[in-house]
Each structure stands twice: as structure tokens, then as C-alpha cells.
Amino acid sequence: MNSYVKTTLNQISIAVRSIADMMDKLELSDLVIQPTENKFSIGQVVAHISLICQADLLISDEASEEQMSTFYSSNRLQTLLEMKDALLANLALLENRYLEYTEEELMQTTTSYWGVSYTRFEWLLEISSHLYHHRGQLHAMLVHCVGKDPEVVLFE
């Protein structure tokens, strides 16, 4: 097992746990709040975060734009329970896949439908960055726009 993959997955797991903790503090009424016009509501951000591990894994597997559109349209998460279940299941999916990759597979370059090429290990780093970005976005939305500090530890 690649130690870089293992430690990167650990950081992703830390992000996911803190996101799940924030989700536990949300109320249904929080999900409809849209702090900025023409931008995602809190519920839409949480639903998006819940799908990142699987969606970005599909992108790293060179899914087409059409395949991604189908993925998103068939994974419309509505409730906090659905979102949290998807978040945790998609983390497990990501971990299982990456722990099975050989060194050669980790260094294989794949290309997204919009033309960005990374090695599989770089895609894992991208997934980590993507999760941390939206976790910070969610935290800021809650604190600065809703006035609700989820009191979740963001870094260990």
C-alpha cells in the first residue's frame, strides 16, 4: 500500500468527518437559505459535497460530460440523512478504489471531459482540495450568513 495514498485518504477522512459533524448541526430550514443570489443554497452545497468523492472519481475515470450529467441527475439528494449517507458511502467507495491501485496505476494519467490531465494520485489530491474548499465555503455560509457557528473542529 502506498503511504502517500494512505495519508491523503486520512486527510480526506478528516474533512468528511468534520463535514458530517456540520451536517448534524443543520436544521431542515437551513438548507433553503441562499446567502448569495444566483449561487448555491446551503442545501445545494451540502448535496454537492456529499457527491464529490464519487463524482470526482468518475471524472478521474474519464467519464464524459453526458455521463456526469446523468450521474448528477440520478443522484438528487433531498434530505440531510440522504446527504450524510451519500457522503460516507462515497468516501468508502473512494478509499476502496485507491487502496487497490498499484503504483503503476497511481501514476497513470487520465483526462477529464474538459481536457485537464492528472495522474490518478493527482486526482486524489484534487478530490481532497475540492472537499476542503467546499467545507470552508459551508462553514463560512453558516457563520457569516446564517449566524450559526457549527462549533466543529476544522483541523486536527
Side-chain angles (χ1 to χ4, degrees), residues 50 53-54 83-94 96:
S50 298
C53 288
Q54 185 177 7
M83 293 176 206
K84 188 173 180 182
D85 286 349
L87 176 70
L88 299 176
N90 290 330
L91 171 63
L93 176 72
L94 179 73
N96 290 336

Side-chain angles (χ1 to χ4, degrees), residues 25-34 41-43 78 80 142 146 148:
K25 309 270 175 96
L26 293 174
E27 298 172 29
L28 197 55
S29 59
D30 295 327
L31 299 182
V32 297
I33 297 171
Q34 184 179 18
S41 68
I42 290 172
Q78 300 297 317
L80 283 166
L142 293 173
V146 180
K148 179 185 250 181

Side-chain angles (χ1 to χ4, degrees), residues 3-142:
S3 62
Y4 294 111
V5 168
K6 187 177 178 185
T7 56
T8 303
L9 288 171
N10 181 58
Q11 292 301 308
I12 290 171
S13 178
I14 290 168
V16 166
R17 279 195 317 267
S18 60
I19 291 164
D21 289 346
M22 276 195 265
M23 291 170 78
D24 288 340
K25 309 270 175 96
L26 293 174
E27 298 172 29
L28 197 55
S29 59
D30 295 327
L31 299 182
V32 297
I33 297 171
Q34 184 179 18
T36 306
E37 190 177 340
N38 297 321
K39 296 292 182 184
F40 277 1
S41 68
I42 290 172
Q44 289 170 314
V45 168
V46 174
H48 176 72
I49 290 169
S50 298
L51 297 175
I52 287 174
C53 288
Q54 185 177 7
D56 287 5
L57 188 57
L58 290 169
I59 291 167
S60 75
D61 285 338
E62 299 184 324
S64 68
E65 186 172 6
E66 182 181 325
Q67 289 170 315
M68 292 310 300
S69 179
T70 299
F71 169 77
Y72 284 118
S73 65
S74 64
N75 284 282
R76 297 203 187 275
L77 307 173
Q78 300 297 317
T79 68
L80 283 166
L81 181 59
E82 288 174 340
M83 293 176 206
K84 188 173 180 182
D85 286 349
L87 176 70
L88 299 176
N90 290 330
L91 171 63
L93 176 72
L94 179 73
E95 289 172 333
N96 290 336
R97 175 76 72 79
Y98 267 86
L99 291 173
E100 290 179 6
Y101 282 141
T102 65
E103 290 290 325
E104 184 178 308
E105 290 169 322
L106 286 170
M107 291 300 107
Q108 179 185 1
T109 299
T110 62
T111 304
S112 68
Y113 67 83
W114 63 89
V116 173
S117 296
Y118 292 135
T119 65
R120 289 197 181 280
F121 181 71
E122 286 176 301
W123 280 115
L124 185 62
L125 296 176
E126 177 66 24
I127 293 167
S128 179
S129 298
H130 196 180
L131 283 166
Y132 276 91
H133 161 73
H134 285 300
R135 184 188 72 168
Q137 180 186 30
L138 175 61
H139 189 268
M141 290 169 85
L142 293 173

